[in-house]
Amino acid sequence: MEIKVNRDSLFKSVSKVQSILEKRSNMPILSMILISADDRSVNISATDLEISMQQKIEANVITAGSITISGRKLFEILKESKSNDISIKEKENNWVFISDDKTQYNLACMSAEEYPVFVEPEDVDMVEMECTALADMINKTIYAITLEEAGYKLSGVYTERIQREDAYFLRMVSTDGHRLSLSDKQIDNLDKIKMDKGVMIPKKGLLELNKITSEGEKISIGFKENNCVAKNENSLVVIRLLESKFPDYREVISIDLKNSVSLNRNELFDGMRRMMILSSESSKGVQITLQNNIMELVSINPDLGDVKDHIKIDYPGEMVEMGFNSKYFVDVLQSMESENVVICFNDNSSPCMLRGEDDKGFLGLIMPMRI
Amino acid sequence: MDIEQSKIKTIIHLDMDAFYPSVEILDNPALRGKPVIVGGNSKRGVVSSASYEARKFGVHSAQPIAQAIRLCPQGIFLPVRMARYKELSDQIFAIFHRFTPLVEPLSIDEAFLDITGTERLLGEPVAVAKLIKKTVLAETGLTVSAGVAPSKFVAKIASDIDKPDGLTVVTANGLTAFLDPLPVSRMWGAGKVTQDKLERYNIKSFKELRLFPVKTLERLFGKNGVRMQLMASGIDEREVVTGHEAKSIGHEETFVDDINEIELLERYLLELSMKTAERMRHMGLKAKVIHLKVKYHDFTLVTRSLTLDDYIDDGMVIYMTARDLLGKTEAGVRPVRLIGVSVSGLNTDGLSGQMSLFARDNKKEKARNLNRAIDSVNKRFGEKGIIPGRLLSD
């Protein structure tokens, strides 16, 4: 293989894929980046066996072929280079020669044949969606992911297709057992892809997906066997799905909540942030009291002291006292955009639900804590 | 670390004299003056504790029962009545707590008390130690030995010097005079191997240890060498840690014969997990991190741990986690000499009152109620009132 390529575009691609690389893997090949050139273009690929990412760049291909280079070393070489173009040439016995106007590197590399095989994405049914929609769904669910809870592996976002009348929605749900976040987006032609049951997309994969949503306006996604495939013009991400049970969340989101109160999202966000000043690992609790059109927030830390705040609301109903983890409120409110947030609740032993007019298809559920 | 610079502490170490046999004698005065040996019920069992009369025959704790029978055939062998010992232990600790809230329990019959700065309130440390001894004897009929010193390490040695019913006081000025003549076998953390090694360098007493070049000690024993020299010089900055601030809770078991069978190890693991959970609930604590400790036949020690997402105090959860961790050791391949379970990342019960969204919470709630019920039964009928069925086949 021999190519001549623009340094900036190669550097950009390498930066994107190298975050996947295992820093401490016992398989040396997984610290390598695969560069493969056909007649017109060059693919830069990396994988940790769970996630594979490929970036396509334009290049002057002198000889087609494939090589591997240490991801970190290639990144550093490109970072230190001041030239416009870089030449990469395969030599005998897996040596690779890299040069720009000034510097020549000879690198001992590994055979491209040893590189783990990529899933062929050609025969996957894909559906196109707005990048902003996907990014929004990820940002509104990713914070509630946890590692393990009560026998469930919850280290990903549960993703499924739902149908309401004639419309199809992509749904992402995350939970750590104490709170749950759900985001629905209507997507045209979602019924055309194969997605019979819900799947679990791991957190690391979602972070990579989120990265490529910043590259353009549209992104195509699809599912095949145990993989989620996402691509745009120049990027391809293949994520191995988690094999795990997700709890039956439908029951908890359909709970009948009798009371509701609407208030300014930022005011509540700021109030909860103030509660967190005194919170510690052991006491994140905030006591919310609703009474006489006032929402009072109180947090007590036995080691430090206490904090009290209040927000004017429209709530003439009966007094209600509920305890919550203030961090959970901050996470949800931070991910939302609406000016006002509507909180629905029953009492101090059922969940409260947060929604907002400009956060269509989103709901956040938070279970109380005994304080 | 100059001892003059830090505030001089006053620590009392209190150690009940032959606690289990003493309780047995208390409950049956006919046993007084006889060699009483309390220990495990099975042949595999070991001596838990022996009266001073029995100790004269060479019987000591952790010795196999079979050997104790050989050494002292006329001994009176009694089973462990943990519930009764606990009852008295609770009484004794309640007495300790009248003097200071800074009580660090070491075991059922042993504790450190930090009485620094209580002179005005309670009088001289010696007087305090005397009063504690007198109160314990008056209210329970049992004797306790006390050591008073500026540090935990010295206090512990002091309480042991004049047993039973002893009282030894070591002042800051008398530290060197007290420690120097002690044999290195008294050193905390110096087992047979370390002692032999020290002896090879002609270090037999604390004085020799104190005066030995620290560099050489460090080369020979690593960090432990430096620590031993500090200890021998009477420098021990460890604070008295009360139950509430305990960093970890756990139990371990050393086997008489090394164990190869994974099933047997798992059974011990279950028992240790249940004991640990019971203690956690007793102390009102929950934990997030589960640790497993495995010592192989050749004394190499490995530890494995896992951090859970939630604070727990359920023995089954500890057991399941520890069993998974056991799978990450060479247990079953290499013979195991000791196994231990402990938990850390402790939190008081009430504060982690976060409720769960899913029905499994009800299961947790049920487990909690069940555990409470088991604890109260065990409190009345002894540790083995209710145990998992797997542990019955002994």
Side-chain angles (χ1 to χ4, degrees):
Chain A
M1 188 204 80
E2 185 175 358
I3 56 170
K4 197 165 185 188
V5 56
N6 177 271
R7 178 225 165 238
D8 288 351
S9 67
L10 182 60
F11 186 44
K12 223 158 108 187
S13 303
V14 169
S15 314
K16 265 182 195 146
V17 303
Q18 63 108 30
S19 64
I20 296 174
L21 297 176
E22 289 287 322
K23 306 226 156 35
R24 264 177 255 108
S25 171
N26 46 14
M27 282 174 70
I29 193 79
L30 295 184
S31 66
M32 310 295 269
I33 280 178
L34 178 73
I35 301 182
S36 39
D38 59 20
D39 298 342
R40 286 152 314 200
S41 60
V42 169
N43 283 325
I44 316 293
S45 319
T47 183
D48 66 353
L49 299 182
E50 305 292 326
I51 303 165
S52 303
M53 193 171 194
Q54 194 171 76
Q55 296 270 321
K56 191 197 280 182
I57 54 170
E58 296 296 319
N60 176 8
V61 178
I62 298 152
T63 324
S66 301
I67 55 152
T68 70
I69 304 179
S70 154
R72 192 179 291 178
K73 291 300 154 206
L74 182 59
F75 178 81
E76 285 170 25
I77 287 169
L78 294 167
K79 198 171 126 221
E80 299 306 327
S81 168
K82 304 279 184 290
S83 307
N84 282 332
D85 291 312
I86 300 271
S87 291
I88 302 176
K89 189 179 177 184
E90 181 185 2
K91 298 175 86 178
E92 275 180 13
N93 294 326
N94 300 321
W95 282 87
V96 171
F97 179 71
I98 301 177
S99 63
D100 60 12
D101 301 341
K102 268 175 68 65
T103 322
Q104 291 92 39
Y105 297 92
N106 276 301
L107 295 177
C109 295
M110 294 172 79
S111 164
E113 279 163 28
E114 283 178 45
Y115 211 78
V117 189
F118 241 69
V119 185
E120 287 293 326
E122 268 75 26
D123 47 354
V124 184
D125 300 323
M126 308 281 277
V127 63
E128 197 174 64
M129 68 184 287
E130 299 283 336
C131 281
T132 49
L134 182 59
D136 188 53
M137 293 180 86
I138 294 171
N139 291 329
K140 283 197 165 103
T141 50
I142 199 162
Y143 54 81
I145 291 175
T146 184
L147 291 177
E148 198 171 343
E149 167 67 23
Y152 294 112
K153 293 248 187 292
L154 299 173
S155 51
V157 161
Y158 185 72
T159 309
E160 66 175 341
R161 175 174 58 199
I162 55 163
Q163 185 182 4
R164 255 183 248 132
E165 285 148 17
D166 287 341
Y168 287 91
F169 294 79
L170 187 67
R171 167 173 286 178
M172 287 190 173
V173 196
S174 63
T175 181
D176 61 5
H178 307 312
R179 47 152 165 196
L180 176 146
S181 293
L182 177 150
S183 176
D184 286 345
K185 294 271 184 203
Q186 190 186 340
I187 293 167
D188 295 336
N189 299 318
L190 190 62
D191 54 321
K192 303 288 191 303
I193 68 166
K194 197 169 151 30
M195 198 183 182
D196 303 328
K197 54 181 174 40
V199 297
M200 281 285 274
I201 307 179
K203 185 174 184 177
K204 193 177 171 189
L206 290 163
L207 291 169
E208 296 304 325
L209 270 186
N210 214 358
K211 262 188 223 163
I212 68 166
T213 58
S214 64
E215 286 174 4
E217 285 178 4
K218 300 275 188 184
I219 183 166
S220 299
I221 59 165
F223 299 90
K224 190 172 189 227
E225 282 146 17
N226 280 322
N227 294 296
C228 165
V229 180
K231 67 176 177 184
N232 60 25
E233 208 180 330
N234 294 318
S235 297
L236 166 70
V237 178
V238 181
I239 301 161
R240 191 192 298 165
L241 299 169
L242 296 170
E243 282 174 30
S244 51
K245 280 188 299 178
F246 195 76
D248 182 16
Y249 72 92
R250 283 166 200 269
E251 199 178 325
V252 296
I253 60 168
S254 55
I255 184 170
D256 183 27
L257 298 169
K258 292 177 187 70
N259 308 309
S260 81
V261 52
S262 172
L263 70 161
N264 183 278
R265 180 174 63 90
N266 276 330
E267 264 190 76
L268 183 57
F269 179 68
D270 292 344
M272 287 294 176
R273 296 263 299 179
R274 289 180 200 122
M275 296 301 117
M276 282 180 73
I277 294 174
L278 290 194
S279 75
S280 66
E281 179 62 32
S282 57
S283 61
K284 287 186 190 118
V286 52
Q287 180 88 34
I288 300 181
T289 311
L290 301 169
Q291 195 178 15
N292 301 330
N293 296 322
I294 295 282
M295 174 188 271
E296 189 184 61
L297 308 178
V298 176
S299 192
I300 300 168
N301 181 326
D303 298 326
L304 293 172
D306 55 74
V307 48
K308 198 195 292 188
D309 201 347
H310 69 275
I311 300 166
K312 284 204 177 95
I313 51 167
D314 184 20
Y315 180 81
E318 255 179 69
M319 183 184 92
V320 179
E321 279 185 326
M322 295 173 287
F324 290 100
N325 181 333
S326 46
K327 170 82 165 47
Y328 292 172
F329 266 86
V330 166
D331 285 344
V332 172
L333 295 167
Q334 195 160 30
S335 79
M336 291 174 72
E337 282 146 44
S338 308
E339 190 178 342
N340 288 315
V341 55
V342 179
I343 304 178
C344 299
F345 57 92
N346 275 347
D347 50 34
N348 61 4
S349 62
S350 32
C352 84
M353 186 185 286
L354 281 75
R355 323 180 77 138
E357 203 174 312
D358 295 330
D359 294 284
K360 283 211 166 43
F362 171 77
L363 69 86
L365 271 186
I366 302 176
M367 259 326 259
M369 63 195 292
R370 297 177 204 91
I371 293 185
Chain B
M1 261 193 285
D2 188 349
I3 202 161
E4 250 72 40
Q5 274 177 10
S6 56
K7 201 169 121 204
I8 295 170
K9 286 183 284 201
T10 310
I11 311 289
I12 304 182
H13 179 252
L14 291 150
D15 191 4
M16 299 303 295
D17 301 316
F19 185 53
Y20 297 180
S22 298
V23 174
E24 296 299 339
I25 293 163
L26 185 74
D27 289 352
N28 180 8
L31 297 172
R32 192 167 298 281
K34 298 200 171 125
V36 177
I37 297 157
V38 178
N41 313 339
S42 70
K43 259 186 277 166
R44 274 190 72 92
V46 290
V47 175
S48 296
S49 181
S51 71
Y52 289 92
E53 288 79 7
R55 291 184 197 189
K56 285 178 194 146
F57 292 89
V59 178
H60 58 80
S61 52
Q63 189 174 50
I65 289 279
Q67 196 184 342
I69 296 173
R70 269 201 308 278
L71 288 169
C72 183
Q74 67 273 53
I76 296 155
F77 290 82
L78 297 170
V80 178
R81 291 190 302 149
M82 197 45 90
R84 174 66 179 140
Y85 309 148
K86 233 178 202 165
E87 196 182 314
L88 280 159
S89 170
D90 286 349
Q91 268 189 53
I92 293 158
F93 275 84
I95 295 170
F96 295 168
H97 275 280
R98 284 182 220 160
F99 292 85
T100 170
L102 296 176
V103 176
E104 177 180 341
L106 289 179
S107 67
I108 191 168
D109 62 347
E110 210 185 324
F112 284 120
L113 273 62
D114 185 341
I115 57 154
T116 310
T118 58
E119 284 87 349
R120 277 199 182 170
L121 202 64
L122 303 170
E124 286 295 305
V126 193
V128 178
K130 274 185 184 157
L131 187 56
I132 294 174
K133 282 168 60 71
K134 205 174 127 193
T135 314
V136 171
L137 182 63
E139 294 187 18
T140 67
L142 296 167
T143 59
V144 57
S145 292
V148 186
S151 72
K152 282 163 86 169
F153 174 59
V154 180
K156 191 164 160 66
I157 294 181
S159 73
D160 199 38
I161 290 283
D162 189 23
K163 254 180 170 303
D165 201 15
L167 171 59
T168 305
V169 182
V170 183
T171 59
N173 293 332
L175 264 180
T176 313
F178 174 75
L179 290 172
D180 269 3
L182 294 174
V184 288
S185 55
R186 290 266 183 189
M187 177 52 64
W188 169 60
K192 190 85 188 81
V193 178
T194 308
Q195 283 176 40
D196 287 350
K197 205 164 165 187
L198 284 167
E199 207 139 306
R200 276 204 299 278
Y201 288 86
N202 221 11
I203 304 172
K204 294 195 196 78
S205 68
F206 275 36
K207 184 179 182 179
E208 282 152 340
L209 186 55
R210 177 167 66 83
L211 298 174
F212 207 77
V214 69
K215 284 260 148 52
T216 319
L217 279 178
E218 188 167 15
R219 189 166 48 75
L220 291 170
F221 302 100
K223 268 189 209 158
N224 198 32
V226 182
R227 187 190 59 79
M228 285 194 297
Q229 189 171 62
L230 284 173
M231 293 277 175
S233 319
I235 300 171
D236 172 19
E237 302 270 309
R238 291 174 302 150
E239 299 282 336
V240 167
V241 183
T242 60
H244 231 64
E245 301 159 29
K247 297 257 162 50
S248 72
I249 300 173
H251 283 278
E252 58 185 53
E253 180 96 35
T254 304
F255 309 121
V256 181
D257 297 311
D258 298 337
I259 295 182
N260 273 313
E261 305 83 46
I262 205 92
E263 291 77 21
L264 188 54
L265 288 171
E266 284 178 0
R267 266 188 48 201
Y268 277 105
L269 218 50
L270 180 57
E271 188 176 341
L272 296 170
S273 302
M274 290 296 168
K275 269 165 129 179
T276 303
E278 208 233 282
R279 243 175 90 199
M280 288 165 73
R281 292 192 292 268
H282 184 68
M283 294 165 90
L285 293 169
K286 290 190 172 192
K288 223 176 170 176
V289 191
I290 315 285
H291 305 268
L292 171 78
K293 173 170 159 188
V294 173
K295 199 185 261 178
Y296 300 115
H297 64 109
D298 60 356
F299 287 86
T300 45
L301 181 76
V302 292
T303 56
R304 298 283 179 270
S305 62
L306 186 80
T307 303
L308 306 173
D309 276 323
D310 216 350
Y311 290 92
I312 55 99
D313 62 0
D314 183 13
M316 279 319 276
V317 178
I318 299 176
Y319 167 65
M320 308 269 255
T321 313
R323 198 186 52 184
D324 287 351
L325 293 172
L326 188 67
K328 294 181 182 171
T329 69
E330 290 172 78
V333 183
R334 289 170 76 177
V336 172
R337 178 189 160 77
L338 170 151
I339 199 163
V341 174
S342 66
V343 294
S344 67
L346 300 170
N347 197 342
T348 43
D349 199 346
L351 290 172
S352 64
Q354 176 63 52
M355 292 178 230
S356 169
L357 269 171
F358 302 103
R360 287 192 174 229
D361 193 31
N362 305 333
K363 220 169 167 182
K364 267 192 209 165
E365 193 76 35
K366 272 184 199 158
R368 189 176 306 152
N369 291 337
L370 178 66
N371 283 330
R372 268 195 209 131
I374 291 174
D375 288 349
S376 67
V377 170
N378 286 350
K379 208 170 172 186
R380 281 184 62 187
F381 298 103
E383 211 168 73
K384 298 235 165 116
I386 297 181
I387 55 169
R390 265 190 95 180
L391 296 180
L392 274 177
S393 46
D394 207 23

